[in-house]
Amino acid sequence: MDETTSASHEISPKRANAEPRTIEIVDTTFRDGQQSPLLFDTEKYRFSLEEKKLLLEGLIELGVTHFEFFSPVVGAAEEQDVQELIAHAQTLTHKPLLFLAHCRCNPTDIQKALEVGCNGLNLYLGVSPLAQQHNAQKSLEESVQLAQEVIGSTRQAHPDLYIRFSAEDAFRTVPDDMLRLYDAVYPYVNTFGMPDTVGLAEPEDVTATVSLLRQRYPQARLECHFHNDRGLALANVMAAVRAGVRYVDASIWGLAERSGIPSVTGVLFNLSKRYPEIAQRYNLSQCYPLNVLMASILGTLVPYTEPVSLTNRTHTAGVHQKAVLGEKKVYEAHHLHDFGVDKNQLLLGPLSGWNLIYYYLKEVENFVINKEQAKQIAQEFKGRTAEIGRHKKPEELLLEIATSHGLLRHTLPEEVPTARLENLD
Ligand code: HCA
């Protein structure tokens, strides 16, 4: 490795490991996000430009500044959208923004990306045994030569351009092969990635890889991109950041190829527990609105696995509902309010006990009712829960029973019931 060739790019010698700790989201909703099978399941296939603009606005409101796009060579529509989105983003904030084109190590791809206005490149090339045989179909030495030539000449032509380079499928790549490749391009890059392309890494593997890269490439920043095939992507992000990674790839809802990557809001929610300074950089109250925006675009609910969701503040079991009515902290451990989830829900259903039934009939339906009556009604309700289903909601059954018990309602001004519902929070 020739240290003297270190180009005049953003990272000055010995800076990356010494610079103060900053953790940044690299949003890839417009790239890996559009590779999600959910876009096919919802028959959307791709986001329209208008939808992308809304999502971009939501991300910028949240404080995201790094956006990854497809290389323009994937198609005319994407090429046009990238240009429009870059122009639109600049009307939304004065913060410096990074528009990253996800490109192969191919001079034409790179050229096109720069022509449409991208000011950064997320370059990748795989040298795992599988990639050498079936994907890039190049030997290690051929790949090393290609990467060195392409990245070296790009750096020479664009001394200030942000360049990230990743060995695709890093966790199935022979470590010495990855280092051979990274050594060759180290003088030219700002950042190295470590994509877990097929989601097989465990947090301990991540810690080891980050430590290896930090030690060998002290001038480079590090980025992580973890797929969720084993459901470990978020845990791997936590390990990576603890070990010193700066950039975390994420997308809204974690949309990405197959079972996706970590969600932007899940990452911010989790990282902010350990690194509270994240709240200064990101406007965390915009997390839930962003998840809801995606729900409205896809026409489905925010996924129940999403930490920043109303589902995470919804209680169904009688024991939980009773406790939450008294002290919500018993079953709500996280300050989701800070992330924009500003209410909770107790769902009346087959598992509800007399406490919620009493609360519901008294506070929501305004019945004149005492606790003894509520217990009797609850007993009958529990005996008839088999009736609940698509054609009879739990509320309907309960009202039927309450009315048959001859309960009468208070007469109250119309706005009071909804106001009382809010008191739950
Ligand atoms: C993919 C490629 C990628 C790229 C990640 C990166 C991966 O499979 O679509 O460029 O860092 O997971 O390897 O998403």
Side-chain angles (χ1 to χ4, degrees):
M1 181 171 37
D2 179 5
E3 293 287 345
T4 59
T5 55
S6 188
S8 63
H9 51 104
E10 199 188 327
I11 309 293
S12 59
K14 305 275 178 291
R15 190 171 142 213
N17 273 352
E19 64 194 357
R21 175 73 165 191
T22 311
I23 303 163
E24 289 173 273
I25 295 286
V26 177
D27 177 82
T28 182
T29 306
F30 304 118
R31 200 278 294 174
D32 220 343
Q34 289 200 103
Q35 294 176 220
S36 168
L38 197 59
L39 266 77
F40 292 75
D41 294 347
T42 53
E43 296 183 340
K44 186 154 277 291
Y45 304 107
R46 65 186 295 276
F47 297 118
S48 70
L49 177 60
E50 283 319 305
E51 289 164 346
K52 285 179 186 170
K53 281 186 174 170
L54 290 173
L55 294 169
L56 183 71
E57 286 162 19
L59 286 161
I60 286 180
E61 280 271 303
L62 177 58
V64 175
T65 52
H66 293 49
F67 303 94
E68 187 181 69
F69 298 106
F70 280 121
S71 157
V73 297
V74 305
E78 289 300 325
E79 176 178 348
Q80 219 170 358
D81 287 0
V82 176
Q83 294 184 65
E84 297 256 7
L85 290 171
I86 291 175
H88 186 56
Q90 281 157 345
T91 66
L92 299 172
T93 176
H94 296 300
K95 284 187 195 167
L97 300 174
L98 211 45
F99 306 108
L100 301 153
H102 192 247
C103 287
R104 299 172 294 189
C105 281
N106 176 314
T108 312
D109 293 13
I110 292 172
Q111 175 73 18
K112 272 257 178 201
L114 300 179
E115 276 168 20
V116 298
C118 288
N119 56 1
L121 298 172
N122 277 356
L123 302 175
Y124 67 99
L125 180 63
V127 290
S128 70
L130 282 166
Q132 289 186 42
Q133 214 184 338
H134 301 288
N135 210 353
Q137 296 185 328
K138 285 181 178 39
S139 69
L140 174 65
E141 283 315 312
E142 285 169 336
S143 290
V144 167
Q145 201 185 344
L146 172 72
Q148 197 166 28
E149 272 171 25
V150 172
I151 303 176
S153 59
T154 305
R155 171 58 69 216
Q156 205 172 17
H158 305 279
D160 298 323
L161 184 68
Y162 175 87
I163 301 179
R164 185 227 64 184
F165 178 71
S166 280
E168 195 184 21
D169 210 356
F171 289 85
R172 284 194 302 181
T173 301
V174 177
D176 280 348
D177 291 356
M178 181 163 82
L179 298 180
R180 170 85 187 92
L181 182 62
Y182 281 17
D183 283 356
V185 298
Y186 180 41
Y188 315 120
V189 302
N190 303 77
T191 301
F192 280 128
M194 59 194 83
D196 185 16
T197 305
V198 289
L200 49 78
E202 295 184 5
E204 291 75 10
D205 307 321
V206 169
T207 305
T209 301
V210 174
S211 307
L212 176 70
L213 296 178
R214 279 193 80 187
Q215 215 173 7
R216 195 168 176 100
Y217 308 112
Q219 296 169 40
R221 293 175 179 177
L222 297 178
E223 180 196 283
C224 64
H225 181 104
F226 297 134
H227 278 268
N228 210 23
D229 302 61
R230 292 178 69 185
L232 293 178
L234 188 52
N236 286 340
V237 165
M238 299 302 285
V241 172
R242 273 207 213 192
V245 157
R246 176 181 177 123
Y247 300 114
V248 177
D249 284 17
S251 65
I252 304 173
W253 285 19
L255 295 177
E257 193 83 34
R258 303 185 312 285
S259 45
I261 58 172
S263 77
V264 171
T265 63
V267 167
L268 289 175
F269 170 61
N270 276 284
L271 286 180
S272 63
K273 287 183 178 288
R274 179 165 287 272
Y275 308 100
E277 65 275 16
I278 281 193
Q280 264 108 64
R281 189 173 186 90
Y282 292 95
N283 183 7
L284 296 177
S285 66
Q286 292 305 308
C287 282
Y288 185 54
L290 184 65
N291 286 336
V292 171
L293 173 64
M294 181 59 91
S296 69
I297 288 175
L298 291 180
T300 66
L301 295 174
V302 174
Y304 71 92
T305 46
E306 173 54 54
V308 181
S309 63
L310 187 55
T311 313
N312 229 353
R313 280 289 191 87
T314 299
H315 309 279
T316 64
V319 172
H320 290 228
Q321 292 176 338
K322 173 177 182 287
V324 170
L325 280 170
E327 171 52 72
K328 61 189 176 186
K329 278 191 203 144
V330 179
Y331 287 107
E332 292 180 6
H334 309 286
H335 295 289
L336 286 185
H337 190 274
D338 299 346
F339 297 82
V341 185
D342 58 7
K343 51 177 130 178
N344 65 1
Q345 294 189 126
L346 307 182
L347 297 185
L348 180 69
L351 302 176
S352 299
W354 76 265
N355 283 280
L356 185 71
I357 286 176
Y358 176 57
Y359 181 88
Y360 180 79
L361 291 175
K362 186 166 183 283
E363 301 291 330
V364 180
E365 292 293 339
N366 310 319
F367 281 111
V368 181
I369 183 173
N370 61 39
K371 290 183 181 176
E372 269 321 303
Q373 287 169 310
K375 284 178 188 170
Q376 281 170 20
I377 289 173
Q379 211 171 9
E380 191 175 332
F381 179 79
K382 288 225 166 252
R384 292 176 56 185
T385 52
E387 292 173 37
I388 297 175
R390 225 170 252 279
H391 301 295
K392 192 184 265 185
K393 290 185 179 169
E395 292 82 356
E396 284 175 63
L397 175 64
L398 187 58
L399 287 183
E400 205 177 293
I401 298 170
T403 314
S404 75
H405 278 243
L407 294 188
L408 297 175
R409 280 192 162 92
H410 286 292
T411 43
L412 289 171
E414 283 216 331
E415 68 273 16
V416 171
T418 38
R420 286 187 181 193
L421 254 188
E422 294 300 315
N423 289 343
L424 271 179
D425 204 15

